[in-house]
Amino acid sequence: MRTLLSLTLALTLSLVAARTAAAGDAARFLVAQLAEASDKAQFAWKPDAAQQAAALGLRVRAPLRDGRMRARTTRLDEAVLAHPALRGFAPDRIVLLEAPDSATAAAARTALADGGGVDWIEPLASRALQMTELHGAGARPGALAALDSLPNDPLLRDSRQWGLWNVGGVGGGFYGGVPRADIHVVEAWRVTTGDNALKLAVADTGIDPAQPELAGLMPDGSPRLVDMVSVTFEGADAWADSNGHGTPVAGAMAARTNDGARFASGGVAGVCGGDGALVAGCRIVPIKIAEGHSGESSSFEVSRAMLWAADVGARAMNLSFAGYEGSRLERLCMTYALLRGCVVVVAAGNEGARDNPRRPMYPAAYAADGLGIQVGASTQFDDRATFSSYGPGLDFVAPGVNIWTTFMTYPSAAGAVYDGLVAASGTSFAAPIAAGAVGLLAAARPELIENDFQHVLRESADDVYLPGWDERTAWGRLNVGRALASVGPEYGIWHDEVRADSVVLAGSGTLSIGESGPGTLDRFRGLLAATRWATYATVTLPDSFADTVRVWPRVGGTFAARGDYQLPYFTPGAEVVARNGRTFTLRGWLYRADSDTCATCVDAWVPLPPEYARFGFTVIGRVNRSRPPAPVGDATGGAGAAHVRAWPSPFRGAIALALPGAGSVRVLDVNGRVVREWRASGAETRWDGRDRDGRDAPPALYFVRWRGADGSGPRSPRAS
């Protein structure tokens, strides 16, 4: 007789079975990460937990990653899962549990958490689309003569798409407003209109597969819609829009640009929609998260979408859904996506319409931890839309009122029929405009990673309420033209990590610890008397940066905590606290438990001792890429000898090396490992940025070591 019950899940679930939060009964559902069992079978309970779950009337409704997802995506990235912020996160052991009623679910949550059968368990959180209004087009528009230099999309030229080009009331604009109270995408299009290899995902109610502004073929004849999936219980192939929200959201992000009139009512442009010729802007990944005709979803389906988008290689995923309850699962999947290369762009919510604009909305609030980008809505008058939320984590606002975009070519769930185009309002439509901006940045500078996009877009935003940061609009209104200019080809991008070099006592207080996490966070819980310690690292800039740089900490590579004595969960916390000429200083926080409250602790540091603290960071600044390498001296190593010169540094793609002469060349990483080696026949050579196996070396700091044929050397500059 087996001593362990293994639940194998049937994935052909009946559509008449109990619905999830999309039907409004989220209180009957729980999300749990099963404790690891001795039997490594998928979704296996420990014996006692299996009996307990059965006694409570629970059944496993679905795994987080079901057979469809496993078959259609690559394996989870183990290197990403090893990040401290994801310690213990095991997506293949996470399941959706269903109880007969909400009271049973509440009791089961407590019982399973206390019984040790799960690593963690939480209620299923509801998510709803963030649209306030939608209406169709009138007569076919006429062009404004002053806009003849714009792409030929009629609703852009007649000024209805004010969010992309706002001529204001004086200029005869359709909606009036303030001239250039837009995202300045016309300036951005002079730099890039996207990239045919770029993928942008839309997690929503689906996309109309026949909408010509979104679907169709790429310039090479391949489909523009790729990796389509439904993560609901309808089945993987039921990804087409049956509500009427996802198609307009996708159009705001990436409707084809400069492709003329597609309908009798005209045609629209998307932010990352290409040039109408050789560039289609991006490929679109439709992910349906709302079942049937519903406009509701859950944290479980949203989390599935995040994993899917990241694992199929999308650089951004738009999410125009929000809810009131936080979710551990959602936050972990958002972190995974970010570190895997996919930025989640989230609508801030429409709680201003309910007179509660400061209410935290999820998962948007996790942008406060650098895990994504939260976007509110602005109007053509360059102010915050009254419905737009400004809770924790707001990054900036973007146009979100009367946004002309695509609609389904068939009737909506309510039976409404439009001629392919509609005007819609809500933070639902501000977010995809920002997601399109992320796409343009990724196309122009593919080496941008993680929370780089959040910082670049924040720092380039236009003030619209008060100078600098303010509560209602955060860093201001999106200006993608300025964002592209701030990372132009004259700017170098340097990513690196550094260990803490000093620690200073900085007070004492009561530390509050919530979830388990990396280091000692799996041992401490609740309230703890502790001292707080500031940990610092000072970094010197490479000589190749020509002038003032921008610097920020990265989520990836950072292992330090926040400094407010509140650790509800672990997320990397750091800040830039000083700049002095050619150096900058990063600071994070650690805590040490008071010996009176932690007499049995082997290690009282929280979350880890100072010697293990480290900081990931990004530096962006002008570099002189045209300056030739300095002359090299005598190849024999005499008095006139010079070190190896590397240029440009930082570099992108390949780097030129000027050597004292012929000899062996080695490229090493910061740990001293050999990345690449070869013999140079003369005083000039180059490194193509690849490792020994022909793979692109990751962005980092590298050292070049030269040794002459006569044994002279080594000589090592830094290259980044």
Side-chain angles (χ1 to χ4, degrees):
M1 178 177 178
R2 291 175 63 89
T3 59
L4 181 144
L5 175 63
S6 178
L7 299 180
T8 303
L9 303 174
L11 299 177
T12 56
L13 299 172
S14 171
L15 293 181
V16 298
R19 301 279 300 271
T20 64
D25 55 354
R28 293 195 297 110
F29 291 86
L30 300 167
V31 176
Q33 180 170 297
L34 305 182
E36 189 170 15
S38 56
D39 186 331
K40 300 303 181 181
Q42 302 252 321
F43 325 122
W45 293 87
K46 289 184 174 180
D48 293 344
Q51 296 170 9
Q52 185 181 32
L56 291 168
L58 294 179
R59 75 181 182 103
V60 176
R61 180 64 190 276
L64 180 64
R65 296 182 74 241
D66 61 19
R68 303 169 301 175
M69 297 181 71
R70 294 168 185 276
R72 295 178 62 176
T73 63
T74 57
R75 295 181 59 189
L76 291 166
D77 191 316
E78 297 298 331
V80 170
L81 291 173
H83 189 277
L86 294 174
R87 181 197 173 277
F89 179 44
D92 288 338
R93 286 193 275 118
I94 295 174
V95 295
L96 180 66
L97 301 172
E98 182 182 5
D101 52 58
S102 59
T104 301
R109 180 187 176 195
T110 301
L112 287 174
D114 293 342
V118 297
D119 293 336
W120 52 264
I121 189 168
E122 67 180 12
L124 185 69
S126 298
R127 299 291 181 254
L129 57 83
Q130 299 299 303
M131 179 172 67
T132 62
E133 181 185 10
L134 184 146
H135 61 84
R140 183 173 179 133
L144 294 180
L147 306 184
D148 284 346
S149 61
L150 288 180
N152 63 9
D153 307 275
L155 270 66
L156 176 62
R157 289 197 168 201
D158 89 331
S159 78
R160 295 195 202 192
Q161 287 194 274
W162 66 267
L164 307 186
W165 178 268
N166 191 347
V167 300
V170 176
F174 191 91
Y175 291 107
V178 175
R180 298 318 311 272
D182 56 59
I183 68 166
H184 293 253
V185 73
V186 175
E187 290 85 344
W189 287 337
R190 295 171 188 151
V191 177
T192 181
T193 57
D195 189 286
N196 291 333
L198 176 74
K199 291 182 181 180
L200 299 179
V202 178
D204 214 284
T205 64
I207 291 177
D208 176 0
Q211 168 55 256
E213 292 272 16
L214 301 176
L217 300 178
M218 301 293 287
D220 65 359
S222 60
R224 193 174 188 226
L225 301 184
V226 295
D227 301 315
M228 306 81 73
V229 71
S230 168
V231 296
T232 72
F233 296 126
E234 294 178 283
D237 296 327
W239 55 268
D241 193 355
S242 54
N243 171 276
H245 184 265
T247 300
V249 165
M253 180 185 76
R256 292 180 184 269
T257 301
N258 201 39
D259 64 335
R262 292 284 188 156
F263 301 94
S265 55
V268 294
V271 176
C272 193
D275 60 8
L278 298 179
V279 179
C282 65
R283 297 179 189 269
I284 301 173
V285 179
I287 309 174
K288 189 175 183 181
I289 61 172
E291 191 170 342
H293 298 302
S294 171
E296 297 180 328
S297 186
S298 75
S299 54
F300 191 75
E301 283 132 335
V302 168
S303 298
R304 278 179 155 184
M306 292 175 183
L307 293 181
W308 180 274
D311 286 337
V312 300
R315 292 304 310 271
M317 186 192 91
N318 185 81
L319 179 66
S320 292
F321 280 62
Y324 299 143
E325 307 89 7
S327 164
R328 180 175 186 166
L329 174 61
E330 233 171 20
R331 190 190 74 247
L332 292 171
C333 290
M334 202 168 176
T335 305
Y336 175 86
L338 183 78
L339 298 176
R340 189 84 159 87
C342 179
V343 181
V344 180
V345 182
V346 196
N350 299 336
E351 291 304 295
R354 300 176 180 85
D355 297 323
N356 196 9
R358 293 182 177 87
R359 181 171 189 166
M361 299 295 285
Y362 294 93
Y366 298 127
D369 300 313
L371 303 183
I373 297 174
Q374 181 186 155
V375 189
S378 65
T379 75
Q380 67 270 32
F381 295 96
D382 227 7
D383 55 11
R384 180 186 67 89
T386 56
F387 58 75
S388 184
S389 296
Y390 48 90
L394 180 65
D395 287 304
F396 50 81
V397 295
V401 177
N402 287 321
I403 302 304
W404 280 95
T405 180
T406 51
F407 195 70
M408 300 185 305
T409 55
Y410 44 85
S412 72
V417 178
Y418 299 106
D419 184 29
L421 303 174
V422 292
S425 300
T427 55
S428 273
F429 305 98
I433 287 175
V438 172
L440 293 180
L441 282 171
R445 297 304 300 262
E447 63 267 56
L448 291 170
I449 58 174
E450 299 173 19
N451 52 318
D452 289 348
F453 296 96
Q454 182 187 46
H455 282 273
V456 169
L457 292 176
R458 278 178 177 178
E459 294 179 6
S460 57
D462 289 329
D463 287 324
V464 296
Y465 186 61
L466 296 174
W469 184 91
D470 65 77
E471 181 187 29
R472 296 186 180 186
T473 64
W475 276 264
R477 188 245 312 122
L478 175 65
N479 185 328
V480 65
R482 181 178 295 159
L484 264 293
S486 74
V487 293
E490 68 273 25
Y491 289 91
I493 300 175
W494 177 31
H495 297 118
D496 210 341
E497 298 177 17
V498 63
R499 290 189 179 277
D501 54 34
S502 63
V503 60
V504 178
L505 179 63
S508 61
T510 301
L511 177 63
S512 176
I513 301 175
E515 295 177 5
S516 60
T520 56
L521 288 175
D522 60 352
R523 284 181 272 158
F524 295 133
R525 286 293 188 287
L527 302 178
L528 191 69
T531 50
R532 183 180 65 170
W533 298 76
T535 181
Y536 297 93
T538 298
V539 179
T540 301
L541 294 173
D543 293 341
S544 53
F545 281 106
D547 53 20
T548 304
V549 299
R550 290 171 291 156
V551 183
W552 50 80
R554 284 189 297 106
V555 172
T558 296
F559 200 174
R562 51 202 283 178
D564 59 359
Y565 293 93
Q566 301 296 314
L567 298 179
Y569 50 83
F570 176 77
T571 189
E575 58 189 330
V576 178
V577 294
R579 300 187 191 192
N580 183 17
R582 304 295 298 176
T583 66
F584 62 89
T585 301
L586 298 157
R587 179 179 67 187
W589 300 93
L590 303 174
Y591 300 89
R592 187 172 176 82
D594 188 290
S595 58
D596 293 335
T597 60
C598 190
T600 61
C601 293
V602 176
D603 189 345
W605 286 101
V606 180
L608 76 171
E611 59 265 30
Y612 296 109
R614 66 179 189 267
F615 302 94
F617 62 85
T618 297
V619 176
I620 298 180
R622 292 181 183 273
V623 293
N624 189 343
R625 298 186 184 277
S626 60
R627 190 175 69 192
V632 297
D634 180 17
T636 63
H643 288 281
V644 173
R645 296 284 181 172
W647 204 261
S649 180
F651 74 100
R652 177 183 177 186
I655 187 169
L657 302 174
L659 313 173
S664 64
V665 180
R666 285 187 172 186
V667 178
L668 303 95
D669 65 16
V670 291
N671 296 311
R673 293 187 290 260
V674 177
V675 177
R676 185 78 174 271
E677 58 185 332
W678 69 94
R679 290 198 62 81
S681 58
E684 294 182 2
T685 188
R686 67 189 295 275
W687 176 38
D688 62 5
R690 298 180 181 275
D691 63 15
R692 286 171 161 175
D693 298 321
R695 298 172 299 195
D696 290 335
L701 182 68
Y702 296 92
F703 294 86
V704 180
R705 175 167 292 182
W706 170 84
R707 185 175 294 277
D710 59 355
S712 57
R715 305 164 189 267
S716 304
R718 293 184 299 180
S720 57

